[in-house]
């Protein structure tokens, strides 16, 4: 593990999770694990209508119930300000008036000595409504439409001219359902006030953002709020906003002047922390007989909330994936009486690429062309919208290596032409893209007389392995064994970090950790260089390497000197250094993450049952810091993609908006029996956009899986199912 400071060899070895033992022994504390002697418990009461006003809210029976400390409603809740969100504006503050805008809206909070007392009393709160007819259908002409809310609609060329010139046109509409993020860990907030200082343990993807939101809500300085999230039980995007229940936990703690814990129930998770909005997507793709794309027109419609903001682009990937001269991509939001949707793994791209890649499969079939060949024929050598080169792009290698590993060449093109016993076999593939974001980040590193480096940043690790890869980056940069590095995160008092989202945290945080450790090494070298007794006397940081706790001159014999010896000789307890990172702006190049997904399905022709039997994901994620945790990300995303293709669908009553399957027994996620061994291949080179060469793979892990499966189902059965999930009844 010898490195120089300038070219730290940031490695891909499959290191085990450094936080694994803490998680499996229960030592890792999640937001609901924090107890206090005088802890009180809060339970939410939610609206049973989707629109209207609260006519009567009777709380006296609940208030008189054993153990109840208070019942909070719009009548006695403090006035709160609307907060900035994680991205964009935050949700409207809760309990501010009697209006109801969606089913499941919080209308009261019961706070009691025990969870059981709070839950029992919550059932005694009686609400009568002056109900209005809710807007629940994106086709409702009364609903307000919002064009291009994400600002990412895109066009080039002339779509009408392209349609006229095309020799073959595929025209199809695809739909995807509501899907709910459903992290295993129920979202929880434990809040307490010490005078005017607020501390909250929260299920979030960004403590800094919760801090800002709570400070704004209560009109207090950000320095008066501390948010902690060292462990979070998953989120998939649901933790990118500060949702109303977080604010309510802090309101309750202030009102009863005690620590308060608020844990959402599984049913409440379906209405309180967002979900992937359903989509209707109309695609028209025109091509020449030889396979060259001439035109793509892609319009998506999805609902958003009546009084809240969420917008994603369903067509961003459409505009960048292929070299196609005429193109229009548009996303339209429709305001309905629904809980606010939010980011869910691969937001925008997951449903958008599903529609695009299924339409391309339809085109390939029309043309009698191999689906991989069609993609290669339209390969975007440069960014097709801006004309700039890609910072790095190894998608061709993804196709080639993925196809090779999968055995794509065995595929016989005709649907229903491949069988395994009585089962129909299908091979399908799809391209995946994600436009990751890298935003500024900071970290601090210190090394003391115990020889242990402590590195910190206010980021989170909601599961991908951030603790582990940051430990690796620091260990490699400083030349320390892994067990001589302690990486800490999840505390808003640490150096500021962005949200763990948009597939950008590894690039942002890894670069900041790398820089902080380089600065720390430099501080040690400077100290030793000025010291005549040091073997490093007169050396500069570029003249040394590091290994096993030593700083070693590159061109001189001898073991150099240890960090701890340098500290000891100068009578110092420790040295500390800060590092910051931001995406490079000096490269005229476009960032992008690419992958190719290949799926095999077996379909029972009598029962319509679809099994995914093989899945190959070939991913260009730049430099892979840890092949084990990275592969784990791709496997997890693939399981999500299988769920999206075949299982996951949040169903609500069309008349009332009540969610009908808000349990993990009724909302089907992929389980082990649904997920085959997933073959993950990483291709590509370190990306020049940041000093550690990483891109980010969290979202591209799920993108492309559902269309690869849907295309495999067509190949197996000859049936083109254009609505997800592909359920047995659609195949009978
Ligand atoms: Mo991701 S949906 O940005 O957590």
């Amino acid at each position: 593990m010898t490195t120089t400071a300038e070219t730290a060899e940031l490695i891909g070895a499959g290191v085990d999770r450094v936080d694994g033992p803490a998680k499996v022994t229960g030592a890792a504390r999640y937001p609901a694990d924090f107890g206090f002697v005088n802890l009180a418990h809060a339970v939410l009461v939610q609206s049973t209508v989707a629109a209207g006003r609260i006519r009567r809210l009777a709380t006296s029976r609940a208030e008189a119930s054993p153990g109840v400390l208070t019942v909070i409603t719009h009548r006695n809740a403090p006035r709160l300000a609307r907060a900035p969100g994680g991205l964009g504006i935050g949700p409207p503050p809760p309990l501010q008036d009697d209006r109801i805008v969606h089913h499941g809206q919080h209308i009261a909070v019961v706070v009691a000595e025990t969870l059981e007392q709070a839950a029992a009393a919550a059932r005694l709160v009686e609400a009568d409504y002056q109900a209005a007819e809710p807007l629940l259908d994106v086709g409702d002409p009364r609903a307000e439409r919002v064009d291009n809310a994400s600002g990412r609609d895109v066009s080039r060329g002339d779509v009408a001219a392209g349609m006229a010139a095309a020799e073959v046109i595929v025209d199809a509409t695809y739909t995807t359902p509501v899907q709910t993020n459903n992290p295993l860990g129920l979202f929880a907030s434990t809040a307490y006030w010490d005078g005017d200082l607020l501390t909250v343990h929260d299920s979030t993807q960004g403590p800094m953002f919760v801090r800002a939101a709570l400070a704004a809500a209560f009109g207090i300085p950000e320095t008066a709020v501390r948010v902690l999230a060292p462990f979070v039980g998953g989120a998939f995007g649901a933790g990118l906003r500060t949702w109303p229940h977080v604010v309510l936990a802090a309101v309750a703690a202030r009102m009863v002047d005690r620590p308060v814990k608020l844990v959402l129930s599984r049913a409440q998770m379906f209405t309180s922390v967002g979900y992937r909005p359903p989509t209707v997507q109309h695609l028209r793709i025109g091509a020449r007989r030889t396979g060259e794309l001439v035109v793509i027109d892609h319009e998506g419609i999805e609902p958003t909330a009546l009084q809240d903001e969420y917008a994603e682009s369903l067509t961003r990937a459409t505009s960048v994936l292929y070299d196609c001269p005429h193109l229009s991509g548009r996303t339209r939001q429709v305001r309905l009486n629904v809980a606010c949707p939010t980011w869910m793994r691969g937001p925008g791209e997951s449903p958008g690429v599903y529609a695009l890649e299924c339409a391309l499969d339809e085109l390939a079939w029309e043309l009698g062309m191999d689906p991989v060949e069609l993609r290669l024929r339209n390969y975007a050598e440069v960014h097709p919208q801006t004309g700039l080169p890609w910072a790095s792009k190894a998608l061709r290698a993804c196709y080639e290596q993925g196809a090779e590993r999968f055995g794509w060449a065995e595929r016989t093109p005709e649907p229903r032409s491949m069988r395994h016993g009585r089962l129909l076999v299908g091979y399908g593939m799809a391209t995946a893209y994600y436009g990751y974001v890298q935003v500024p980040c900071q970290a601090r590193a210190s090394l003391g007389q115990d020889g242990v480096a402590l590195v910190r940043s206010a980021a989170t690790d909601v599961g991908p392995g951030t603790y582990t890869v940051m430990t690796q980056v620091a260990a490699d940069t400083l030349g320390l064994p892994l067990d001589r590095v302690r990486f800490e995160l999840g505390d808003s008092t640490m150096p500021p970090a962005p949200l763990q989202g948009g597939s950008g945290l590894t690039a942002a945080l890894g670069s900041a950790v790398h820089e902080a450790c380089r600065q720390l090494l430099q501080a040690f070298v400077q100290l030793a260089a000025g010291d005549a007794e040091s073997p490093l006397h007169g050396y500069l940081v570029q003249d040394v390497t590091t290994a096993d706790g030593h700083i070693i001159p590159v061109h001189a014999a001898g073991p150099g000197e240890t960090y701890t010896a340098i500290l000891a000789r100068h009578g110092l307890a420790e040295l500390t250094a800060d590092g910051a990172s931001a995406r490079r702006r000096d490269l005229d190049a476009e960032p992008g993450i690419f992958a190719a997904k290949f799926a095999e399905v077996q379909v029972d022709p009598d029962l319509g049952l679809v099994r995914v039997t093989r899945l190959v994901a070939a991913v260009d994620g730049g430099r892979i810091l840890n092949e084990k945790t990275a592969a784990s990300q791709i496997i997890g995303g693939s399981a999500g993609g299988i769920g999206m293709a075949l299982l996951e669908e949040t169903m609500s009553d069309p008349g009332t908006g009540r969610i009908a399957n808000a349990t993990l027994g009724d909302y089907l996620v992929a389980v082990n029996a649904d997920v085959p061994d997933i073959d993950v291949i990483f291709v590509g080179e370190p990306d020049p956009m940041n000093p550690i060469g990483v891109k980010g793979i969290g979202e591209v892990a799920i993108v492309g899986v559902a269309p690869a499966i849907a295309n495999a189902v067509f190949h197996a059965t000859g049936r083109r199912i254009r609505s997800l999930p592909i359920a047995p009844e659609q195949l009978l």
Side-chain angles (χ1 to χ4, degrees), residues 205 235-238 240 343-347 434 500-503 699:
Q205 291 170 253
F236 309 115
L240 295 173
W343 296 274
M344 179 169 161
R345 205 164 190 176
Y434 192 77
Q500 182 168 55
S503 292
E699 329 268 355

